[in-house]
Amino acid sequence: MPGEPPGSSDPLDPAGLVGRAAEAAAIRRMLDGARLVTVTGLPGVGKTAVSLAAARAAAAGFAEGSLLLRLDTLRDESLLPHSIAAALRLPDQYTRSRLDVLVDQLRDRHLLLILDTCEHLLGACAALVAELLPPCPKMQVLATSREPLRVPGEATVAVRPLRLADAVELFGRRAVQAGAELAPQNRAAVASICVQLDKLPLAIELAAAELARLGRDRPPAAALAKLLAQLEAGHAGLDGTGPDGTRADGTGPGATRADATRAGDPDSGEPGRHRTLRAAIGWSHELCTPSERLLWARLSVFTGPFGLRDATDVCAGDGLPAEAVAAGLSLLAERSVLLADRLADGGARFVLPVTLRAYGGQMLRRLGQDEEFTARHKRWQDDRRPHQGTPAGK
């Protein structure tokens, strides 16, 4: 697995980033005071792109620059030290462990090591960073992960979905790049599409490519209406496949080179898991425990914010005890599946984003539990109606 400096020729060059200046600046500031900074967020939210923007801004402060190591294809955690050594082009020393060699080689190097996509190797990455940082005082680590590494001294930055105005701007840019035509009067329709996509950059880029396909034989307004209808029906925006079988990665019938641009082109450097939003979400699902997956599926019946009591009332039982619901909410929030807002009284309100809710709904149908938990959610709503003036879900 190659390592690479995140230079200006990197396919994820931040020049095209929209609405991420504050996050990139926050990461940059964190690097001024923390040896380990971990960037977390939902699948498809753009953790890598924002982190690379911050790394480029910080690169001048490191005598030996920075080194980007993409971990998405690494499956054997025992090979992590070997991968870093290979990226640094260190010679083999068969009489010593790779970790010992790394410590010796990095001890005096003023370097920013970027570990991209740590979530599937969380324990191994945490252990390695904990071993490297104390004896290598000039080295710093910038990691991207869907949850923190939980190493002492770690600073975390959570990347949230785009603001709506930025999401609309990004959609417009990518749509034009893909060959679609948009006019100012289309802005309201574009905003509705971005809301359906949780204002996630990856989903927006896929949808912009889909709009270009739909617009080949339709006027812009009709193409936008068709795309919005597909999204509302759950038939677009997740798997990158259009109604004609064409994929957003440029494969399938009717595809053009423009279709592949910005939406997971094999030459784009975008990890294979992230070439479609469904792949990115499926990756998160795979990393969850069975009880977390079951809770995720059952939570898909909520269309708005909910609290612990709400989730317990609707989701507990039948293989998922109440205590598992409480633990699962916290863990799903840590794994960047749920968005959590802390309340002044110490409670929390959670939201399952639209795209992740659609995935969970599919899982619930596969389990054959969709009718049961939809009915439970309806009863819960009916019970709340007389008390809507009082806060619920704490």
Side-chain angles (χ1 to χ4, degrees):
M1 178 181 49
E4 53 193 285
S8 60
S9 61
D10 191 282
L12 292 174
D13 181 67
L17 284 181
V18 174
R20 291 306 194 195
E23 290 90 341
I27 296 168
R28 175 68 185 86
R29 288 194 300 272
M30 289 284 190
L31 287 170
D32 287 337
R35 301 282 311 283
L36 167 64
V37 176
T38 302
V39 181
T40 64
L42 295 169
V45 81
K47 297 180 289 294
T48 297
V50 176
S51 297
L52 294 187
R56 289 189 185 90
F62 292 86
E64 297 184 62
S66 57
L67 184 71
L68 168 64
L69 197 68
R70 303 184 190 273
L71 302 178
D72 62 293
T73 60
L74 184 63
R75 292 292 178 268
D76 186 345
E77 62 181 28
S78 68
L79 296 179
L80 182 58
H82 298 263
S83 299
I84 297 176
L88 292 167
R89 296 180 174 82
L90 301 182
D92 289 330
Q93 296 188 24
Y94 298 106
T95 59
R96 305 176 64 205
S97 74
R98 272 299 193 190
L99 181 57
D100 289 341
V101 172
L102 276 178
V103 169
D104 280 353
Q105 292 292 328
L106 293 173
R107 193 181 304 276
D108 296 316
R109 296 186 69 166
H110 192 200
L111 175 74
L112 176 62
L113 179 63
I114 306 167
L115 301 179
D116 183 38
T117 316
C118 294
E119 56 264 12
H120 67 300
L121 301 169
L122 200 67
C125 288
L128 182 69
V129 170
E131 290 284 347
L132 287 178
L133 288 181
C136 305
K138 297 181 181 179
M139 189 186 77
Q140 289 178 250
V141 176
L142 175 60
T144 72
S145 176
R146 295 186 192 171
E147 56 185 301
L149 270 60
R150 301 180 185 87
V151 172
E154 176 184 36
T156 61
V157 178
V159 178
R160 305 279 286 196
L162 292 167
R163 295 184 307 126
L164 183 56
D166 293 326
V168 169
E169 181 182 348
L170 177 62
F171 186 97
R173 288 191 188 184
R174 298 300 183 253
V176 170
Q177 289 173 359
E181 295 182 9
L182 292 174
Q185 59 264 33
N186 300 138
R187 189 174 180 85
V190 171
S192 296
I193 288 169
C194 291
V195 170
Q196 282 292 318
L197 296 169
D198 296 317
K199 298 167 287 184
L200 296 175
L202 175 60
I204 289 169
E205 296 197 357
L206 289 167
E210 173 67 4
L211 178 67
R213 280 191 291 273
L214 293 172
R216 290 174 188 155
D217 55 2
R218 297 176 178 86
L224 284 165
K226 178 68 173 177
L227 177 58
L228 181 57
Q230 290 180 356
L231 289 169
E232 289 174 341
H235 298 321
L238 282 177
D239 62 4
T241 303
D244 63 351
T246 300
R247 298 185 61 81
D249 62 5
T251 63
T256 68
R257 180 66 181 173
D259 295 332
T261 304
R262 308 295 312 182
D265 185 295
D267 298 327
S268 73
E270 184 73 357
R273 293 179 297 97
H274 291 160
R275 289 179 187 159
T276 70
L277 186 58
R278 180 178 296 280
I281 295 173
W283 179 258
S284 284
H285 191 261
E286 180 182 333
L287 295 174
C288 291
T289 66
S291 64
E292 290 166 8
R293 294 174 190 169
L294 182 59
L295 178 59
W296 179 349
R298 292 181 181 180
L299 289 172
S300 68
V301 298
F302 285 97
T303 57
F306 55 87
L308 171 58
R309 189 172 65 199
D310 307 326
T312 303
D313 290 346
V314 174
C315 301
D318 194 15
L320 192 67
E323 57 270 23
V325 173
L329 289 175
S330 296
L331 290 168
L332 288 175
E334 285 188 4
R335 295 187 192 280
S336 300
V337 173
L338 294 175
L339 293 174
D341 288 317
R342 300 297 168 184
L343 303 177
D345 63 2
R349 300 290 286 171
F350 301 94
V351 172
L352 182 60
V354 176
T355 46
L356 281 80
R357 191 170 76 235
Y359 192 96
Q362 293 171 356
M363 298 303 105
L364 195 63
R365 287 190 291 275
R366 288 186 185 181
L367 293 169
Q369 298 183 0
D370 52 319
E371 292 184 2
E372 175 187 354
F373 283 91
T374 298
R376 289 179 64 165
H377 180 259
K378 185 178 185 304
R379 289 195 297 271
W380 168 80
Q381 285 182 310
D382 291 342
D383 290 343
R384 288 180 73 236
R385 283 196 179 101
H387 311 289
Q388 284 186 349
T390 59
K394 294 180 182 177

